């Protein structure tokens, strides 16, 4: 099993450009999450989804949009990239069977905004 | 509301010595608690969790954690550290009383450095 796969792994953007980060999971999980990780800040939740066709805002949603058109995919979009969005982005998924199921993480997308 | 604190940004230990990485939490009800490990340029990997029952939880790679309700703590431990244990460790909590929310709160992480 591949688990959680994120593409691309690295990307450099110019301020104002847009892009989409793709997350795919093959575990039939209901819940999917997007986090950003910055030094000294830990993980901060951007958006999450509790099922196909549903999304919700997390702790730091501004400047990002998401879509969950298919259960296995969760897309994160940056409409107009800003240097403050330079970060490492992680996608995670978890089953909905019980709230004590752990999350499964991808290996991240390293994004630099110039 | 739920929150978790990892009071140490970095823990240094010599190989072969026991290690402890601290975590304290705050929830309105009872907690589900998790530890994850992150190696360089990788995503977080699940180590262990506390749901209910025995306060000492055993997990992957020889790690264990002790749940202490009175001190609201869930410290990660290992009897004998290895250099390969050097990584970033995250504690996370979910409040059972959060109305079915499956959204955990993560600590800021503790960097464990094991010296040869």
């Amino acid at each position: 099993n591949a688990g959680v796969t994120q593409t691309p792994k690295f990307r450099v953007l110019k301020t104002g450009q847009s892009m989409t980060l793709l997350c795919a999971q093959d575990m039939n999980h209901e819940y999917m999450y997007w986090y950003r990780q910055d030094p000294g800040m830990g993980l901060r939740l951007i958006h999450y989804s509790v099922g196909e066709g549903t999304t919700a805002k997390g702790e730091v949603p501004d400047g990002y949009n998401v879509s969950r058109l298919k259960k296995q995919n969760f897309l994160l979009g940056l409409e107009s990239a800003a240097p403050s969005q330079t970060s490492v982005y992680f996608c995670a998924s978890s089953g909905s069977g019980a709230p004590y199921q752990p999350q499964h993480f991808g290996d991240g997308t390293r994004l630099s905004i110039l | 509301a739920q929150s978790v604190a990892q009071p140490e940004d970095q823990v240094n230990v010599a190989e072969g010595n026991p290690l402890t990485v601290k975590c304290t939490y705050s929830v309105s009800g009872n907690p589900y608690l998790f530890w994850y490990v992150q190696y360089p340029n990788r995503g977080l990997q699940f180590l262990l969790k506390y749901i209910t029952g025995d306060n000492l939880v055993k997990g992957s790679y020889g790690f264990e954690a002790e749940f202490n309700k009175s001190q609201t703590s869930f410290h990660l431990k290992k009897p004998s550290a290895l250099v390969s244990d050097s990584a970033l460790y995250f504690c996370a909590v979910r409040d059972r009383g959060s109305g079915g929310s499956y959204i955990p709160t993560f600590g800021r992480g503790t960097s464990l450095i094991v010296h040869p």
Side-chain angles (χ1 to χ4, degrees):
Chain A
N1 277 347
V4 178
T5 303
Q6 293 184 234
T7 53
K9 296 187 185 305
F10 305 93
R11 187 71 184 268
V12 178
L13 289 178
K14 294 182 179 179
T15 298
Q17 288 184 318
S18 63
M19 80 161 295
T20 300
L21 282 64
L22 172 63
C23 176
Q25 54 95 3
D26 61 3
M27 296 170 283
N28 201 35
H29 283 168
E30 290 291 336
Y31 279 61
M32 296 188 74
Y33 316 77
W34 275 108
Y35 293 92
R36 59 178 290 173
Q37 184 178 27
D38 302 291
M41 301 294 291
L43 288 175
R44 292 184 291 171
L45 183 65
I46 304 171
H47 287 280
Y48 65 98
S49 169
V50 302
E52 181 178 317
T54 70
T55 63
K57 293 180 180 180
E59 179 185 357
V60 288
D62 294 342
Y64 305 95
N65 58 74
V66 289
S67 64
R68 183 101 181 265
L69 298 180
K70 293 184 178 181
K71 185 177 184 179
Q72 64 268 33
N73 296 337
F74 195 29
L75 279 63
L76 177 71
L78 283 71
E79 299 169 338
S80 179
S84 61
Q85 294 177 306
T86 293
S87 187
V88 182
Y89 291 86
F90 287 98
C91 177
S93 70
S94 65
S96 62
Y100 49 79
Q101 290 197 20
Q103 291 172 298
H104 298 255
F105 285 81
D107 281 338
T109 294
R110 284 148 185 83
L111 184 61
S112 293
I113 315 296
L114 305 179
Chain B
Q2 60 189 28
S3 65
V4 62
Q6 295 181 241
E8 301 155 317
D9 290 335
Q10 184 171 302
V11 170
N12 291 276
V13 64
E15 188 173 30
N17 283 0
L19 69 87
T20 298
V21 182
K22 296 179 180 178
C23 172
T24 58
Y25 67 89
S26 175
V27 294
S28 57
N30 290 311
Y32 296 119
L33 292 155
F34 306 81
W35 275 103
Y36 293 83
V37 60
Q38 184 182 30
Y39 298 103
N41 300 314
R42 300 297 303 274
L44 278 68
Q45 298 176 32
F46 169 71
L47 275 180
L48 52 80
K49 64 184 178 185
Y50 171 80
I51 303 172
T52 187
D54 195 347
N55 290 341
L56 186 63
V57 178
K58 294 188 182 296
S60 306
Y61 313 120
F63 283 93
E64 57 190 26
E66 186 171 11
F67 172 67
N68 188 317
K69 186 172 183 178
S70 63
Q71 297 185 3
T72 61
S73 67
F74 189 55
H75 300 333
L76 182 69
K77 300 181 179 183
K78 188 174 183 181
S80 179
L82 299 173
V83 172
S84 57
D85 292 330
S86 298
L88 191 57
Y89 290 82
F90 289 93
C91 182
V93 66
R94 283 185 181 135
D95 189 342
R96 293 193 197 185
S98 56
S101 170
Y102 292 176
I103 310 304
T105 298
F106 284 84
R108 293 192 172 189
T110 298
S111 177
L112 173 66
I113 300 174
V114 181
H115 302 276

